[in-house]
Amino acid sequence: MTYAIKVAKANPDKSIIIITKADKGESNTKYAQGGIAAVLDEHDTFENHIEDTLRAGDYINDKEVVTRVVEEAPERLKEIISWGTRFDKDKTGEYDLGKEGGHSLNRILHHKDITGFEIERALLEKIAECRNIEVLQHHFAIDLITDHHLGKLVNRRTENTCYGAYTLNSKKNIIERVLAKITMLCSGGAGQVYSHTTNPIIATGDGIAMAHRAKALVSDMEFVQFHPTALFEPGKSPSFLISEAVRGFGAYIRNKKGERFVLKSDQRGELASRDIVSKAIDKELKVSGENCVYLDCTHLEHDSFYNHFPNISDYCKKIGIDFRRDWIPIVPAAHYTCGGINVNLNSQTSITNLYACGECSRTGLHGANRLASNSLLEALVFAHHAAADVSSKINSVSFNDKIPQWNAEGTTDPDELILITHSRKELQTIMSDYVAIVRSNVRLKRALSRLKIHYEETEELYKSTKISPQLCELRNLITIAYLIVTQSMIRPENKGAFYNVDLN
Ligand SMILES: Cc1cc2nc3c(=O)[nH]c(=O)nc-3n(C[C@H](O)[C@H](O)[C@H](O)COP(=O)(O)OP(=O)(O)OC[C@H]3O[C@@H](n4cnc5c(N)ncnc54)[C@H](O)[C@@H]3O)c2cc1C
């Protein structure tokens, strides 16, 4: 949305279309709780934030990208504040900076525990003010239009250009050709490839899968971040997140016996980075045979805790957990896709006129594991540079009017939608059982052979029946699973969020 706003302002004669498959407010962004990181405290330095980001990423981040994102953070935040985003302040009128796992200092700007919701509110209002932005809700992007659709043979090494996308207008049930001089993918992450995830149901990795099919470069998909503290509520999907900021506020992780077992894995204990805490919990659960561990907030100042985390406190209360006296049951859940579509410093992918930004992109910022509250920031910084780059060249790009209309292959409705629902569940189970926090060569091999069956069945369905969002999502999730498994198989050493017991 910040990209659209900037391009719209810089190019009042151009029109920008935002395509979204659900209601315009439905996204991962809406659910972001903790906040957005920036060096604003006088005791903090850019070097500290850079070092924390590199350490969380296990030092395989792109240092140039890390430096750019950290150094530009204050400027980008000032901008969204000037557009109406409200962040909490303390009694002295200064921003109330929170602390999260992996951060050595307090540097998280937040709006209570619903920061993403607040940012999204402000940006949607700003979008509504821009006359040259049109938002098409309930439009499902099926595939990118590239040279392939003009009959050219393309692979990952040949020159390829993007001309827009084919989209399914879910209300009218027709497939539309949306032509664009420049296409930007900002389709979010892929947490739905696992059974337990904090990501909403829209997070099916569509953009990454589309880009992969169009032969763009996609990498680092093996680095899936599991959030250590998702609320344990059997049968509930997506899982409700207990923000990292709760541990930053002083909560302890305990096993049933009351032990703070994470301290055995890292002296930072609960404030170690997410990969370390998630692995420690995974190990504890395997050893103890229990279903969950606990987050203990009982010793914290109650009023202050409630003021910081009203959404979390109220949600827990609704299901009978009172943070003042009860420990909160938690388990790790898939949370963030660190890898994605490869982009350069201007957010440009390996395909001409195709950009990618946000969680679907792989910028090099996160390395092997994302530092908490760096993702919203990454999106803001990369959107800024993409907007500048696109504005500088848009007048030299022309539409391609030779693009054919969608060639509908399947014409019959699927006999049973339940087949698609079942396959999605099976796929999530395969990924959760074989390709989650702890992997092994045998598990990866098993996952791949099972994925092949799903791939063949789904392709057959795709070719023979009418296209539906459910079928497209399943197809995309299979591609995401395939990318995670195959890229896990070639990762030579354990790093950050990736752990294979057969490697050192
Ligand atoms: C519970 C939770 C808490 C989080 N907390 C934080 C936090 O505190 N700080 C932080 O920095 N990050 C946090 N994150 C991560 C962060 O929210 C996401 O990385 C970020 O919001 C991603 O933004 P995005 O714009 O890339 O994608 P999204 O916000 O997910 O938006 C993607 C959009 O693309 C649309 N879309 C997807 N596929 C299609 C398709 N095929 N056709 C049409 N439209 C499509 C979706 O409908 C959606 O509108 C959290 C994530 C979750 C789930």
Side-chain angles (χ1 to χ4, degrees):
M1 286 193 282
T2 57
Y3 164 81
I5 293 165
K6 287 178 182 214
V7 173
K9 278 185 169 183
N11 305 277
D13 59 322
K14 303 278 183 295
S15 46
I16 293 100
I17 299 176
I18 300 180
I19 292 164
T20 182
K21 65 177 170 178
D23 287 334
K24 60 184 173 195
E26 192 54 10
S27 62
N28 271 309
T29 300
K30 178 177 165 186
Y31 300 97
Q33 294 181 343
I36 184 160
V39 173
L40 295 173
D41 186 288
E42 55 180 315
H43 303 295
D44 200 0
T45 61
F46 288 146
E47 287 71 32
N48 286 335
H49 190 181
I50 291 170
E51 175 54 27
D52 290 346
T53 304
L54 294 173
R55 188 175 183 193
D58 220 349
Y59 298 97
I60 58 164
N61 327 52
D62 181 332
K63 182 108 190 265
E64 190 185 358
V65 170
V66 176
T67 307
R68 169 183 269 196
V69 171
V70 166
E71 291 185 352
E72 292 186 13
E75 197 53 40
R76 298 283 72 81
L77 282 162
K78 263 190 230 152
E79 201 165 55
I80 56 164
I81 291 168
S82 76
W83 291 352
T85 310
R86 298 161 303 182
F87 292 113
D88 291 351
K89 293 187 173 170
D90 61 21
K91 285 180 193 130
T92 66
E94 297 295 322
Y95 283 112
D96 175 32
L97 300 174
K99 193 172 180 188
E100 297 190 339
H103 288 274
S104 53
L105 281 137
N106 287 45
R107 64 167 77 97
I108 316 296
L109 278 162
H110 58 95
H111 179 91
K112 304 200 181 300
D113 51 358
I114 50 165
T115 310
F117 185 87
E118 169 60 14
I119 294 175
E120 192 181 86
R121 177 203 60 76
L123 294 182
L124 280 171
E125 280 179 23
K126 191 83 190 159
I127 293 260
E129 287 169 16
C130 298
R131 284 164 162 254
N132 51 341
I133 300 181
E134 185 185 4
V135 182
L136 299 180
Q137 304 182 80
H138 300 280
H139 277 62
F140 191 104
I142 303 169
D143 259 323
L144 295 165
I145 302 171
T146 62
D147 284 332
H148 161 82
H149 294 95
L150 294 172
K152 236 169 95 178
L153 265 183
V154 285
N155 64 38
R156 274 168 238 290
R157 282 178 299 275
T158 51
E159 170 77 27
N160 193 5
T161 302
C162 181
Y163 307 104
Y166 290 113
T167 67
L168 172 65
N169 177 336
S170 317
K171 295 270 171 189
K172 291 191 184 156
N173 218 2
I174 49 169
I175 294 174
E176 294 165 357
R177 185 189 62 163
V178 181
L179 297 185
K181 292 180 178 180
I182 302 285
T183 306
M184 164 65 95
L185 285 168
C186 359
S187 45
Q192 283 289 327
V193 76
Y194 289 95
S195 311
H196 294 287
T197 176
T198 61
N199 290 190
I201 50 164
I202 52 106
T204 48
D206 301 344
I208 301 173
M210 270 188 273
H212 176 73
R213 281 197 292 275
K215 308 281 185 260
L217 295 176
V218 172
S219 66
D220 287 355
M221 291 297 289
E222 66 276 32
F223 300 121
V224 178
Q225 181 176 81
F226 283 76
H227 198 293
T229 58
L231 185 64
F232 177 62
E233 267 187 292
K236 175 100 185 357
S237 179
S239 308
F240 182 78
L241 182 70
I242 309 290
S243 164
E244 187 107 6
V246 170
R247 278 176 286 133
F249 201 75
Y252 297 140
I253 295 176
R254 298 187 188 278
N255 60 17
K256 208 174 180 184
K257 288 187 254 168
E259 293 158 348
R260 286 177 63 199
F261 59 90
V262 183
L263 285 165
K264 284 188 270 180
S265 302
D266 192 295
Q267 59 182 14
R268 290 172 295 173
E270 288 81 0
L271 287 180
S273 57
R274 287 177 182 171
D275 55 325
I276 294 171
V277 182
S278 291
K279 241 179 274 161
I281 297 177
D282 188 72
K283 190 169 165 199
E284 180 67 24
L285 293 177
K286 283 192 173 123
V287 171
S288 69
E290 298 291 339
N291 289 324
C292 63
V293 293
Y294 300 89
L295 200 60
D296 176 7
C297 309
T298 55
H299 56 288
L300 302 172
E301 213 279 300
H302 295 163
D303 288 346
S304 175
F305 184 89
Y306 185 83
N307 283 337
H308 274 84
F309 308 111
N311 180 38
I312 294 172
S313 307
D314 290 345
Y315 188 93
C316 288
K317 193 154 184 213
K318 212 170 66 192
I319 58 163
I321 299 164
D322 181 347
F323 75 87
R324 290 170 302 183
R325 52 186 170 73
D326 303 321
W327 293 352
I328 303 171
I330 49 157
V331 279
H335 185 60
Y336 186 81
T337 311
C338 299
I341 308 157
N342 287 18
V343 294
N344 68 11
L345 283 166
N346 289 330
S347 252
Q348 160 112 53
T349 70
S350 56
I351 296 181
T352 305
N353 297 337
L354 178 68
Y355 289 68
C357 188
E359 194 167 335
C360 70
S361 66
R362 183 267 179 211
T363 63
L365 174 70
H366 307 306
N369 180 38
R370 173 187 71 126
L371 179 67
S373 286
N374 262 357
S375 44
L376 292 168
L377 175 62
E378 177 195 45
L380 290 181
V381 172
F382 274 79
H384 175 76
H385 290 281
D389 190 49
V390 166
S391 298
S392 73
K393 71 179 190 200
I394 188 83
N395 285 327
S396 59
V397 184
S398 45
F399 284 109
N400 189 325
D401 49 18
K402 295 194 194 79
I403 304 298
Q405 293 292 344
W406 177 262
N407 177 15
E409 283 174 321
T411 46
T412 57
D413 281 321
D415 288 344
E416 297 175 303
L417 217 54
I418 195 82
L419 287 180
I420 296 173
T421 322
H422 279 172
S423 291
R424 182 163 167 156
K425 276 197 197 134
E426 273 177 35
L427 177 76
Q428 290 169 330
T429 308
I430 293 168
M431 292 303 284
S432 298
D433 288 350
Y434 300 125
V435 201
I437 299 172
V438 176
R439 300 172 195 168
S440 72
N441 292 345
V442 173
R443 288 180 196 198
L444 291 173
K445 222 172 128 197
R446 275 197 179 194
L448 192 61
S449 58
R450 281 151 180 76
L451 283 181
K452 278 188 178 142
I453 300 171
H454 281 283
Y455 173 76
E456 280 158 18
E457 285 176 359
T458 307
E459 285 307 298
E460 206 171 296
L461 208 57
Y462 187 79
K463 285 189 185 118
S464 59
T465 59
K466 263 189 198 157
I467 284 177
S468 65
Q470 294 90 331
L471 179 56
C472 291
E473 285 188 345
L474 173 63
R475 195 169 176 241
N476 292 335
L477 284 169
I478 292 169
T479 303
I480 296 295
Y482 172 81
L483 287 166
I484 296 174
V485 171
T486 50
Q487 296 191 2
S488 292
M489 283 173 152
I490 54 171
R491 168 66 47 192
E493 54 177 347
N494 288 325
K495 282 271 169 202
F498 173 77
Y499 184 65
N500 177 343
V501 290
D502 294 317
L503 299 172
N504 289 321

